[in-house]
Amino acid sequence: MELAFIGFVGQKFILVGIIFAISLVVAMYSTYAERKIAAFFQDRIGPNRAGPFGMLQPLADGMKMFMKEEIIPTHANAFLFIVGPSLAILTACIGSAVIPWGQQITIAGHVIDLQVTDINVGVLYIFGVVSLGVYGVMIGGWASNNKYSLLGAIRAASQNISYEIAMGLSIIALLMLTGTLSLKEIAEQQHGWHWNIIKQPLGFLIFIICAFAETNRTPFDLPECETELVGGYHTEYSSMKLGFYLFAEYINMFISSAVMATLYWGGYNYPGMDFMNNLLGPTWGPLLGFVILFGKILCFIFFFMWVRWTIPRFRYDQLMDLGWKILIPLAIANIVLTGVVSTVLRHFGY
Amino acid sequence: MESLTSRRKLVASKPLNFWERAYLPAILSGLRITGKHFFRKPVTISYPEVKREFSENFRGMHSLKRDEEGRERCTACGLCALSCPAEAITMIAAERQKGEEKLYREEKYAAVYEINMLRCIFCGLCEEACPKEAIYLDGDIVPSNYLRKDFIYGKDKLVEAPLNQ
């Protein structure tokens, strides 16, 4: 009993460590990918000096961030000034705890869940963590004691709250179909070809738009709108504290891509999964599922970047209009539609 | 009213309809446009390794030419300095001595010929004014320097290398 418990905790620690490392590496190389992809979209080459194909560029960038002078403004609240970026990166990281990265994997006779914890309110947990993320931005903007930072922070807060409503409503329609809040169960239900994107295209559309707003990505990156607000909420930040904010954005992007892949695009499921699992056995089969999920996540990250280099930033009133007058009514209509259609289908015995 | 040009357009500011307010069709067509660029070849020239070719009539650094026998063409007539709108050219003329016929084409030559590259605007009027076809702006970009005095180019930098030695 004791030993089993210790083994269980150790297993989870290793899993947490691996997921944490993966998140950081993905975030690091997202900065590289962003620059490279931006270059391709603009018929340029992009970073290619540090290492082969510029692969060492993120390391050089990180080194630069750490070496730069760190400034805390005289009239800033020093404690909150440090708490802000810490909170941003903390909330970005803990979202990964409930995401099912794959099926159960068997290594040397031990059965390991490829999920840190399968809580039965997984979707709620994600939403809670995401809404906490705005505190990092808010506190950072307020503690800077700078009008522009504060304006950026206020924008961030109102934007995140507005889009969280539409996001929550869009997810309700999905929950009506799945009947569970556990991400593991939602992923399991999509086994075979029952991906939720087929049943909930409008819901997914609303969800992904809100995900852009929640991660402060272009076209909704108004909190850091450099033309109007200098640098937005992180105007006063320098060196790695700024780096944490930027890093948190990339980790958020990674986690929200994972959530979208899990909720709507089948998670680790792929066509022909049972066949491949039989072929590869209980160790390599689930790992292939993890690779597939990772591929889906990378596609989403690419899409985030594609959109960033396509669409200009929204004006603030347009942003609010879109959130409140288009997305929320659409989400409610989607709920009604889902309810009606599923009731009718059930009536006819599907 | 009759329009003055053929390019007149009627501008209407009608309110956006639902799909226009939802932005989606516009966003999709935008994504299509940028998506096409993803597969294009980059137009970047990796500068220190690869240099962009200048056009044939690029006006760069000046050079003072020699004739077919390797003699300096310039006769220090001063027309280039006179035509220079930026007053960048100064010269001191000297008389050719006996035994120097192989060096200078005419009896008069420029003992000192200086162009202040900080003043020069590379308009090319000096090469147009020159009756002896002695000065051309056919060189490269004038290199950068730390000291202002190093931008005053004398004959050591301007005169073409001698012909085959």
Side-chain angles (χ1 to χ4, degrees):
Chain A
M1 170 64 202
E2 273 298 283
L3 208 64
F5 181 70
I6 290 169
F8 175 76
V9 170
Q11 207 184 81
K12 290 299 178 196
F13 260 109
I14 292 169
L15 195 60
V16 167
I18 291 172
I19 291 172
F20 185 61
I22 288 178
S23 310
L24 292 189
V25 169
V26 167
M28 253 171 77
Y29 275 90
S30 294
T31 63
Y32 167 76
E34 178 111 78
R35 293 173 65 178
K36 209 72 179 169
I37 286 170
F40 289 142
F41 281 135
Q42 296 165 355
D43 302 340
R44 295 187 284 116
I45 293 175
N48 63 351
R49 299 284 149 158
F53 304 107
M55 291 295 280
L56 297 179
Q57 190 67 42
L59 293 178
D61 285 343
M63 184 70 104
K64 183 196 78 177
M65 282 285 192
F66 277 113
M67 303 298 271
K68 275 197 164 183
E69 190 188 358
E70 197 167 1
I71 298 164
I72 298 182
T74 322
H75 296 288
N77 184 328
F79 175 66
L80 290 182
F81 196 77
I82 295 167
V83 166
S86 322
L87 206 57
I89 202 151
L90 177 76
T91 53
C93 286
I94 58 178
S96 59
V98 294
I99 290 165
W101 299 98
Q103 288 170 312
Q104 285 183 333
I105 188 169
T106 312
I107 298 176
H110 296 284
V111 178
I112 300 170
D113 259 328
L114 279 186
Q115 185 181 19
V116 176
T117 175
D118 178 24
I119 52 177
N120 54 9
V121 287
V123 178
L124 273 186
Y125 172 83
I126 291 273
F127 271 65
V129 166
V130 165
S131 59
L132 276 179
V134 75
Y135 277 100
V137 172
M138 193 71 208
I139 287 173
W142 189 83
S144 305
N145 195 20
N146 173 331
K147 290 187 189 72
Y148 291 109
S149 302
L150 186 61
L151 280 171
I154 290 170
R155 278 183 168 199
S158 54
Q159 169 187 330
N160 279 24
I161 290 165
S162 306
Y163 278 75
E164 201 135 312
I165 296 171
M167 201 184 211
L169 289 174
S170 75
I171 210 79
I172 282 176
L174 181 75
L175 298 180
M176 284 161 66
L177 292 178
T178 57
T180 176
L181 282 163
S182 155
L183 284 165
K184 181 86 178 174
E185 271 181 54
I186 292 178
E188 286 296 338
Q189 282 175 4
Q190 298 178 69
H191 191 70
W193 260 115
H194 305 290
W195 290 7
N196 285 326
I197 179 68
I198 301 163
K199 303 172 195 163
Q200 283 289 329
L202 182 60
F204 172 68
L205 188 67
I206 297 165
F207 192 90
I208 194 170
I209 293 171
C210 294
F212 274 92
E214 293 279 308
T215 49
N216 293 335
R217 292 285 301 179
T218 325
F220 305 120
D221 60 342
L222 286 124
E224 51 195 89
C225 184
E226 64 276 349
T227 44
E228 298 163 28
L229 298 176
V230 192
Y233 62 91
H234 55 52
T235 306
E236 298 287 357
Y237 280 89
S238 53
S239 87
M240 202 55 205
K241 287 212 281 297
L242 171 69
F244 272 173
Y245 270 128
L246 305 182
F247 221 65
E249 179 184 319
Y250 284 102
I251 298 177
N252 272 329
M253 201 160 81
F254 173 59
I255 299 299
S256 62
S257 298
V259 170
M260 281 189 288
T262 306
L263 288 182
Y264 289 97
W265 288 87
Y268 45 77
N269 295 296
Y270 55 93
M273 191 183 193
D274 293 326
F275 173 74
M276 289 306 279
N277 276 356
N278 283 335
L279 196 73
L280 295 172
T283 306
W284 295 106
L287 270 182
L288 181 65
F290 170 71
V291 170
I292 297 277
L293 175 64
F294 215 72
K296 289 175 186 175
I297 292 170
L298 294 185
C299 287
F300 274 118
I301 291 178
F302 175 74
F303 184 70
F304 269 101
M305 290 172 181
W306 186 6
V307 168
R308 171 166 182 185
W309 299 105
T310 301
I311 303 170
R313 186 181 289 130
F314 271 59
R315 214 172 57 206
Y316 198 67
D317 61 315
Q318 287 174 337
L319 171 95
M320 282 295 162
D321 264 7
L322 184 70
W324 288 92
K325 294 186 187 165
I326 306 267
L327 291 182
I328 292 178
L330 265 182
I332 293 173
N334 190 37
I335 292 174
V336 175
L337 202 70
T338 309
V340 170
V341 170
S342 61
T343 310
V344 168
L345 285 182
R346 203 172 299 138
H347 182 74
F348 288 108
Y350 282 101
Chain B
M1 201 180 86
E2 199 170 318
S3 79
L4 294 171
T5 70
S6 57
R7 288 176 300 182
R8 195 172 77 146
K9 264 188 198 162
L10 197 67
V11 177
S13 57
K14 63 175 170 53
L16 302 177
N17 66 26
F18 181 80
W19 279 111
E20 280 166 341
R21 268 186 295 138
Y23 304 109
L24 271 181
I27 286 171
L28 288 181
S29 67
L31 286 175
R32 200 170 47 83
I33 291 166
T34 46
K36 268 190 283 182
H37 276 268
F38 192 75
F39 301 102
R40 289 215 187 134
K41 258 176 88 101
V43 292
T44 310
I45 293 169
S46 305
Y47 168 63
E49 295 95 32
V50 187
K51 282 185 179 156
R52 190 193 290 272
E53 292 264 321
F54 287 128
S55 91
E56 263 178 39
N57 46 14
F58 174 78
R59 286 204 285 261
M61 211 177 100
H62 316 63
S63 68
L64 290 172
K65 298 293 178 194
R66 294 173 187 272
D67 68 359
E68 356 8 281
E69 291 165 41
R71 300 174 298 187
E72 284 178 23
R73 285 168 170 269
C74 178
T75 66
C77 66
L79 282 178
C80 52
L82 194 68
S83 71
C84 181
E87 297 181 8
I89 304 174
T90 51
M91 66 182 74
I92 296 170
E95 200 173 334
R96 185 176 70 184
Q97 302 298 313
K98 262 219 150 45
E100 290 181 333
E101 286 86 354
K102 276 197 148 52
L103 292 175
Y104 311 112
R105 195 160 75 158
E106 317 258 340
E107 289 81 24
K108 205 172 99 182
Y109 72 94
V112 177
Y113 193 105
E114 285 180 343
I115 301 178
N116 186 341
M117 291 299 179
L118 293 172
R119 299 196 64 130
C120 178
I121 58 170
F122 301 94
C123 61
L125 287 182
C126 47
E127 59 182 355
E128 281 192 27
C130 185
K132 299 290 182 185
E133 298 191 345
I135 186 164
Y136 282 98
L137 279 72
D138 55 0
D140 211 336
I141 295 174
V142 175
S144 55
N145 220 319
Y146 286 107
L147 299 172
R148 298 184 74 84
K149 71 174 173 57
D150 291 337
F151 280 103
I152 296 168
Y153 281 29
K155 279 180 79 172
D156 53 326
K157 287 180 179 169
L158 292 172
V159 179
E160 263 189 334
L163 295 179
N164 52 322
Q165 297 261 297

